[in-house]
Amino acid sequence: MPSSYYPYFRGKQFDLLALKEVLQAGLLSPAIQPIIEPVKNSKTFFATIAEFQKKHHPYRLIDNPQAGAFLTEKGYATLQDLAQGNSQAHIIDQPVTLADLANYSASTLWIVKSFAAIKETPVQALTGSFLVPQEFRLLQQIRESSFDHPLILSEDPFTRLGRNSYYREIPDELFSRRFKDFKKRGFIGFSDFSLDSRIYYEQGYPDRDLALHLVYLAAPQELRVHHFVSPADTEELGFNQKEKFLQLILQVQSWFSENNDQQTDTLGLKLLYQAAEQGHFPGMGVLRKAVIMHHLECMSRLLETKTEA
């Protein structure tokens, strides 16, 4: 069975735009099956889902998000209509009963976050696959019920710091070695929060420094992330956003040229380079979109070319 990657998105606008644009460009590997927990009832959300359906690309839509605009009876009904068949995913936030199973398909992706909820759930009666963190009690509860359930490993490898300036102290770090060993641990696929945090934030907060977190393939089956931060600013210097952005892009171009020139032709990086060439700051949302596009395209290339162990 080929490797499968299940990046987890909270359905924010620019994350969805990144998904849609990489998919439209034909650059999203079939081995990448995004999990979307919708938080905004927006045109972008529905357009993204429509694009996945049009392209017949596998994805998972959570029918019971834990935050956002769909936390109403009408909202849940809308999501249950959209999340049908192979696209359905459900967070086990409370025990699932045998009576509940009529609402779920045989291929549902069950997302397990709480041991208390899974403890009271008849796991042996659930079909489909399970997305679980590397937590002993959760894994034991599922595996003791049935060894036939496919398991997907959920991890949170991205280091989230309180301020962008802090990344100057750790400019480069390991993002994942899971390609080597997740199958050996009994998982059919892997998932992460795609350069975000397991903890959900409705919005970010203004920061004096700009940062870009860009993944790259450092060695076969080893993914790292390099943290680029705009030059230190002071009240006296008073750089504006455009000046910070242009200096930041110079760092990115120089670093990739010296270290990983072959990975600079992604749509995400081209989007940033084009803005820099035009001499304007594209906005924080576009920076986020570009980072996610780059991440998805790098992962697609990795999964399409790597050799199974």
Side-chain angles (χ1 to χ4, degrees), residues 5-198:
Y5 173 46
Y6 299 81
Y8 195 116
F9 295 98
R10 273 8 183 291
K12 296 178 182 178
Q13 179 182 3
F14 286 96
D15 289 7
L16 294 175
L17 287 172
L19 276 169
K20 184 161 72 76
E21 291 183 24
V22 173
L23 181 63
Q24 287 175 328
L27 297 172
L28 191 65
S29 167
I32 296 181
Q33 302 185 33
I35 300 170
I36 300 173
E37 182 178 357
V39 296
K40 302 287 186 182
N41 189 343
S42 66
K43 291 182 180 179
T44 301
F45 165 66
F46 289 104
T48 302
I49 296 301
E51 189 67 24
F52 272 89
Q53 294 172 341
K54 175 184 174 182
K55 297 286 189 181
H56 302 288
H57 190 104
Y59 71 98
R60 296 290 184 155
L61 178 61
I62 294 173
D63 62 10
N64 63 331
Q66 304 297 287
F70 288 97
L71 302 185
T72 65
E73 184 176 346
K74 181 179 179 181
Y76 283 135
T78 297
L79 295 180
Q80 287 173 358
D81 286 341
L82 284 175
Q84 295 292 327
N86 293 335
S87 68
Q88 190 170 28
H90 184 83
I91 297 172
I92 301 181
D93 56 349
Q94 57 185 351
V96 178
T97 69
L98 293 176
D100 294 330
L101 296 184
N103 298 318
Y104 304 103
S105 72
S107 58
T108 296
L109 173 63
W110 302 98
I111 299 172
V112 184
K113 298 182 178 181
S114 164
F115 174 72
I118 196 68
K119 181 180 179 181
E120 302 300 326
T121 294
V123 176
Q124 70 279 1
L126 274 59
T127 58
S129 52
F130 286 79
L131 181 75
V132 292
Q134 185 76 51
E135 183 182 326
F136 175 76
R137 290 193 306 167
L138 292 180
L139 291 169
Q140 184 182 44
Q141 182 72 17
I142 295 170
R143 285 172 169 157
E144 284 185 351
S145 299
S146 172
F147 284 98
D148 297 329
H149 285 122
L151 300 177
I152 299 163
L153 175 62
S154 173
E155 294 186 311
D156 189 12
F158 179 66
T159 301
R160 186 182 179 98
L161 300 179
R163 298 187 65 85
N164 287 337
S165 61
Y166 299 162
Y167 288 105
R168 294 192 183 104
E169 303 301 319
I170 49 166
D172 197 279
E173 62 178 322
L174 181 68
F175 187 76
S176 176
R177 279 199 188 97
R178 66 176 65 85
F179 318 112
K180 295 179 180 178
D181 62 3
F182 75 91
K183 281 194 171 183
K184 295 177 182 178
R185 288 186 275 164
F187 298 95
I188 66 161
F190 56 95
S191 175
D192 57 47
F193 293 83
S194 192
L195 301 175
D196 209 340
S197 169
R198 188 182 299 276

Side-chain angles (χ1 to χ4, degrees), residues 214-215 256 263 266 268-269 290-298:
L214 297 171
V215 299
F256 272 100
Q263 296 179 51
T266 64
L269 285 186
V291 165
I292 296 302
M293 290 174 70
H294 174 77
H295 178 78
L296 291 170
E297 191 170 348
C298 286

Side-chain angles (χ1 to χ4, degrees), residues 207-219:
D207 196 304
R208 188 176 188 87
D209 302 290
L210 297 181
L212 290 171
H213 312 286
L214 297 171
V215 299
Y216 66 97
L217 187 62

